[in-house]
Amino acid sequence: MKKLSVVVSVYNEELALPMFYRSVKPVLEGLSWDYELLFVNDGSIDGSLEVLRQLLLLDSKVKLVGFSRNFGHEAAMIAGIDYAAGDAIVCMDADLQHPPECLPKIVEKLEQGYGVINMVRTRNQSAGIIKNITSLAFYQLINTLSDVKFEANASDFFVVSRQAAEVLKRNYRERVRFLRGYVQNIGFRKTTISYEAHNRVAGESKYSIRKLFAFSMNTIMCFSNLPLKLGIYAGAFAALMGMAVMAYTLCTRQGAPSGYTTIVILNCFMFAVLFLIVGIIGEYIAVLFSELKDRPIYIVEETGNLGGEKER
Ligand code: UDP
Ligand code: MG
């Protein structure tokens, strides 16, 4: 019998967790596959860990990987993929925004031999208008800048087969990362299932606009080198403009143009472009530096019900 691993990242979800467990458990029981429910506690500072420990005692299908501190959602998902033992892995959120009712459909698709299933949201009730617009703008930008193409409504709700998971585990260990992007670009037989994102059942979203912005910047750097080439374009543009002005001055023999304002504005503008480009290069160097240091993506402090040598 095949086994489905459901990986759930948890950060301060003490209120949502019992509800999540209650709704996902019957669905999992009804599947034709065996299953495990692997919670990754991402250094929660509320009672989430206690709730999870209770679940571990109650239910041997529930497993736990607990981080030593908060490492972020991306790290939690990759840890889930590292520790999951199933023939396919589903990553989902603990706040019930990703409906467990999709699981039977997922198993059906897996049995048809699909290796990657992207869960595409049709409607996002909870995200405000600003989040929806920025999200759309972000995908427009990244799709313009990058060679690889991204599904605009993809979410952190996705399914990978064991084979695809092994690729993610072995070859996608960057520190600056965007798992959702990798999942869409590793190939394998792909399909999508659409779902309607509900409001989160309890607690609040951990992604502020500021966090999302930082995340978007990282993603652009992860998938595109185009910003690095801005310097070349800006330089070429400035050189052309310089030549045009030079030609004009020489031809009309006006002598030096009498523009203090022009000079100041031009100076400011050129310096602005210059510093911007230096800043962009700096960002890439920061990414390089963090990859070079090769610090761990996550640190596990405790595990539960994993069995064997994986246990800590
Ligand atoms: N999460 C996490 N680590 C973090 C932030 C969030 O593991 O640092 C988890 C969180 O518990 C939830 C999922 O990631 O299960 C998605 O987070 P959230 O619902 O806050 O994001 P949103 O759905 O609002 O984009
Ligand atoms: Mg959510």
Side-chain angles (χ1 to χ4, degrees):
M1 196 180 192
K2 291 209 167 181
K3 184 166 166 181
L4 186 70
S5 297
V6 178
V7 168
V8 188
S9 37
V10 178
Y11 179 57
N12 295 349
E13 305 279 8
E14 62 178 347
L15 296 173
L17 274 175
M19 286 186 249
F20 175 80
Y21 179 73
R22 247 177 287 138
S23 17
V24 80
K25 180 78 182 166
V27 182
L28 288 170
E29 285 294 334
L31 295 179
S32 55
W33 285 28
D34 188 17
Y35 69 90
E36 63 176 359
L37 189 54
L38 174 61
F39 290 98
V40 181
N41 178 40
D42 185 13
S44 299
I45 46 175
D46 66 350
S48 301
L49 191 57
E50 279 64 48
V51 177
L52 291 174
R53 286 189 184 133
Q54 291 286 322
L55 289 178
L56 284 178
L57 294 176
L58 269 173
D59 186 342
S60 64
K61 301 267 191 203
V62 171
K63 309 197 166 165
L64 170 71
V65 173
F67 289 175
S68 61
R69 64 165 168 85
N70 180 252
F71 281 88
H73 189 192
E74 288 278 319
M77 286 189 289
I78 196 73
I81 292 174
D82 286 346
Y83 281 85
D87 298 288
I89 301 169
V90 185
C91 281
M92 61 199 293
D93 289 359
D95 55 10
L96 283 176
Q97 283 192 298
H98 301 157
E101 298 75 52
C102 292
L103 290 168
K105 243 185 279 171
I106 288 174
V107 169
E108 203 178 292
K109 291 280 185 196
L110 285 169
E111 283 188 335
Q112 289 165 14
Y114 287 102
V116 172
I117 307 175
N118 279 307
M119 306 298 292
V120 175
R121 49 175 184 241
T122 49
R123 198 154 67 94
N124 197 346
Q125 296 176 341
S126 71
I129 185 138
I130 297 180
K131 228 174 175 180
N132 278 331
I133 289 174
T134 45
S135 153
L136 201 70
F138 165 69
Y139 278 105
Q140 285 282 348
L141 184 67
I142 186 86
N143 276 333
T144 316
L145 289 180
S146 169
D147 299 334
V148 294
K149 289 293 164 259
F150 295 87
E151 171 74 57
N153 286 315
S155 52
D156 289 317
F157 188 15
F158 58 81
V159 188
V160 285
S161 65
R162 170 58 35 204
Q163 201 186 3
E166 288 300 321
V167 174
L168 293 175
K169 256 170 96 162
R170 265 201 311 271
N171 306 326
Y172 286 83
R173 315 259 350 150
E174 286 112 283
R175 267 93 215 130
V176 177
R177 49 190 303 106
F178 185 50
L179 191 56
R180 200 190 304 178
Y182 306 149
V183 168
Q184 287 179 41
N185 291 293
I186 49 172
F188 296 102
R189 265 189 81 195
K190 270 197 292 197
T191 185
T192 52
I193 298 178
S194 46
Y195 72 98
E196 196 172 303
H198 298 295
N199 286 327
R200 119 194 296 292
V201 283
E204 54 194 40
S205 172
K206 277 92 198 170
Y207 281 107
S208 58
I209 290 285
R210 198 170 61 88
K211 250 188 176 175
L212 281 175
F213 182 74
F215 187 66
S216 310
M217 286 294 289
N218 278 344
T219 306
I220 289 170
M221 285 187 285
C222 242
F223 282 94
S224 170
N225 290 333
L226 213 59
L228 280 176
K229 299 194 177 123
L230 276 180
I232 301 175
Y233 300 139
F237 179 71
L240 281 178
M241 293 299 281
M243 276 192 273
V245 173
M246 187 174 72
Y248 174 78
T249 319
L250 288 179
C251 292
T252 54
R253 290 170 210 263
Q254 277 185 337
S258 66
Y260 172 78
T261 328
T262 322
I263 293 171
V264 171
I265 291 176
L266 268 180
N267 245 328
C268 287
F269 177 72
M270 294 314 277
F271 268 112
V273 172
L274 189 63
F275 286 135
L276 191 75
I277 289 165
V278 171
I280 291 173
I281 296 173
E283 288 286 328
Y284 276 89
I285 293 178
V287 173
L288 269 181
F289 190 43
S290 67
E291 300 296 341
L292 200 66
K293 281 184 287 192
D294 202 24
R295 301 234 166 105
I297 298 173
Y298 59 84
I299 298 169
V300 175
E301 186 176 359
E302 72 169 283
T303 59
N305 283 357
L306 285 179
E309 75 267 23
K310 280 180 180 170
E311 208 72 67
R312 234 176 254 214

